[in-house]
Amino acid sequence: MIATPTWINANSAMQYHIESKDNYYQKEGDLGEWQGKGAQALGFSGTVTEDELKKALWGKDAQGNQVVNVRLDKNKDRKRAALGLTFNAPKSVSVAMELANATGNKELSQAIIKAHERAVSKGIDKFERLIQTRETIEGETNKYRS
């Protein structure tokens, strides 16, 4: 299941993902992995680093080149830097994984986790195919789809 998407600014995203000491969505020190055509086109791959996340949130590619026009809010923060998506496994999946752990069946527990990760990747692929953006320059608005 996917929670309601939320637009977040760059500094809030950095604070949540880097500075938060109580982020139970992440494994210890793990910022995740780059996925999708957008990450690939910008040169991001593998494990997400703090530096790469900051570049992406500020509209830069992996080499640090500015590739997106950045609009700032009154606090000099980048508006709409990211769209936060939260993918949740159904409660029955979480319970099955915890039961497998509790009974010492690490193999089953890992298989459940991998199945959930594959489902999230497929959800991201679908989302990426459907999402679009728009840009207005000198009064002319253009829409873009991935």
Side-chain angles (χ1 to χ4, degrees):
M1 174 174 32
I2 186 169
T4 305
T6 306
W7 282 105
I8 53 179
N9 61 28
N11 290 332
S12 293
M14 288 298 292
Q15 182 178 16
Y16 180 78
H17 290 289
I18 305 296
E19 299 166 17
S20 177
K21 302 292 184 224
D22 193 26
N23 189 339
Y24 63 89
Y25 290 112
Q26 296 174 196
K27 299 172 192 161
E28 195 170 312
D30 182 9
L31 293 175
E33 62 184 54
W34 293 106
Q35 293 188 39
K37 292 185 289 184
Q40 184 179 21
L42 294 172
F44 297 114
S45 65
T47 303
V48 177
T49 67
E50 184 176 336
D51 182 58
E52 290 173 334
L53 180 60
K54 186 173 184 177
K55 285 177 185 174
L57 289 169
W58 283 93
K60 298 178 181 180
D61 65 15
Q63 291 72 42
N65 302 309
Q66 194 71 43
V67 294
V68 175
N69 292 331
V70 174
R71 291 186 2 210
L72 303 178
D73 63 18
K74 64 182 177 185
N75 299 318
K76 304 290 186 221
D77 195 359
R78 179 171 179 216
K79 288 180 166 183
R80 294 186 177 188
L83 183 62
L85 301 172
T86 304
F87 293 86
N88 301 305
K91 185 62 75 181
S92 58
V93 173
S94 300
V95 169
M97 191 271 299
E98 289 299 332
L99 281 172
N101 272 335
T103 58
N105 193 340
K106 301 294 183 198
E107 187 176 320
L108 177 58
S109 173
Q110 287 303 305
I112 292 169
I113 290 169
K114 292 292 181 196
H116 175 67
E117 289 173 350
R118 282 192 308 274
V120 168
S121 291
K122 287 188 179 290
I124 290 169
D125 289 344
K126 178 81 170 184
F127 190 84
E128 190 173 45
R129 285 193 306 274
L130 297 175
I131 196 166
Q132 72 177 18
T133 188
R134 63 181 164 74
E135 176 183 53
T136 302
I137 299 174
E138 297 178 8
E140 184 177 333
T141 300
N142 296 300
K143 294 180 183 177
Y144 305 98
R145 196 168 222 159
S146 65

